[in-house]
Amino acid sequence: MTRTAPQFLFDFGSPNAYLSHLAIPAIEQRIGVKFEYVPILLGGIFKSTNNKSPAETLAGIKNKREFQAVETERFVKRFKVQPYVMNPFFPVNTLNLMRTAIAAQAEGVFEKYVEAAFHHMWREPKKMDDPEVAAKALASSGLDAKKLFARAQEPEIKGKLIKNTEDAVARGAFGSPTFFVGNEMFFGKEQLREVEEMVSGK
């Protein structure tokens, strides 16, 4: 039986997407299937679904933010990943970073780019919506930032990111990280256990 490759809909602006990214390799080893990474624009999804970031939705709610911190701690321990370093420039506008992810796919350097962009957002955080800062960071990770940024401005690249985002909303997504196994949707990093179980048939 061929197992369905799970999809990971992500935006670099989400720290929980970063933690998911760190947890995914071990899951891939256990299930014997690679995740398909799908770049989406979280701002676009929020706009289409009338959603807001956790920073806004948790503001002023007693105990909820504290519980999320506990939940994140549990996730870090369960999946044996390093916690993210809060980006001091958060929220970072990720439009160009996400367009460049599509460009990186076209240029055949997608995995390397994803690793670098997440690293410079949540491991050694920088102001990644500043083109000069981002270019320097990506270059330090061995990527041709100038070439990728130029490609990211092409209409077909911009259009692909819009389509990914619109398709995600049409399938039921309202945030990131979102996962799909076939038509089954899962939201939030904690759902990775459910994703693993479904793919492995447990």
Side-chain angles (χ1 to χ4, degrees):
M1 187 179 96
T2 303
R3 290 179 175 177
T4 304
Q7 291 180 310
F8 170 37
L9 279 58
F10 74 97
D11 183 305
F12 296 119
S14 165
N16 288 324
Y18 170 66
L19 291 177
S20 301
H21 169 67
L22 294 182
I24 281 171
I27 296 171
E28 288 177 331
Q29 282 207 315
R30 289 194 294 269
I31 64 178
V33 180
K34 294 277 284 181
F35 278 65
E36 179 192 350
Y37 278 55
V38 181
I40 50 90
L41 186 64
L42 190 51
I45 285 185
F46 283 169
K47 190 174 180 181
S48 294
T49 60
N50 199 31
N51 195 4
K52 293 182 174 66
S53 72
E56 289 179 88
T57 58
L58 298 184
I61 301 177
K62 185 176 174 63
N63 297 331
K64 195 170 181 182
R65 188 184 293 276
E66 289 79 1
F67 173 72
Q68 281 222 325
V70 170
E71 204 171 44
T72 295
E73 198 174 315
R74 288 178 187 150
F75 182 92
V76 164
K77 285 180 180 173
R78 181 184 303 119
F79 289 100
K80 298 178 176 64
V81 296
Q82 288 185 303
Y84 60 84
V85 178
M86 190 60 201
N87 193 310
F89 305 102
F90 188 82
V92 174
N93 184 328
T94 57
L95 176 60
N96 200 41
L97 284 180
M98 299 317 301
R99 283 175 175 167
T100 307
I102 304 288
Q105 283 181 320
E107 291 291 325
V109 293
F110 183 61
E111 286 189 19
K112 188 175 183 179
Y113 174 78
V114 168
E115 196 63 47
F118 268 133
H119 178 87
H120 295 295
M121 275 290 294
W122 301 111
R123 174 57 33 206
E124 295 180 26
K126 300 169 181 69
K127 187 170 170 50
M128 292 297 283
D129 51 5
D130 181 320
E132 286 188 21
V133 171
K136 190 175 178 182
L138 295 171
S140 75
S141 295
L143 289 155
D144 188 340
K146 188 177 178 182
K147 184 179 184 182
L148 288 172
F149 283 174
R151 190 84 196 262
Q153 298 308 308
E154 294 178 4
E156 68 204 50
I157 299 292
K158 291 179 179 180
K160 175 67 173 163
L161 180 61
I162 291 169
K163 186 176 189 307
N164 283 0
T165 303
E166 289 176 345
D167 287 351
V169 171
R171 294 173 75 189
F174 53 84
S176 173
T178 295
F179 308 92
F180 282 96
V181 180
N183 291 321
E184 292 284 333
M185 187 183 96
F186 303 85
F187 173 73
K189 64 186 184 298
E190 291 77 18
Q191 294 291 305
L192 271 171
R193 283 183 297 173
E194 301 280 338
V195 171
E196 181 172 351
E197 285 177 7
M198 177 165 273
V199 176
S200 58
K202 291 180 181 176

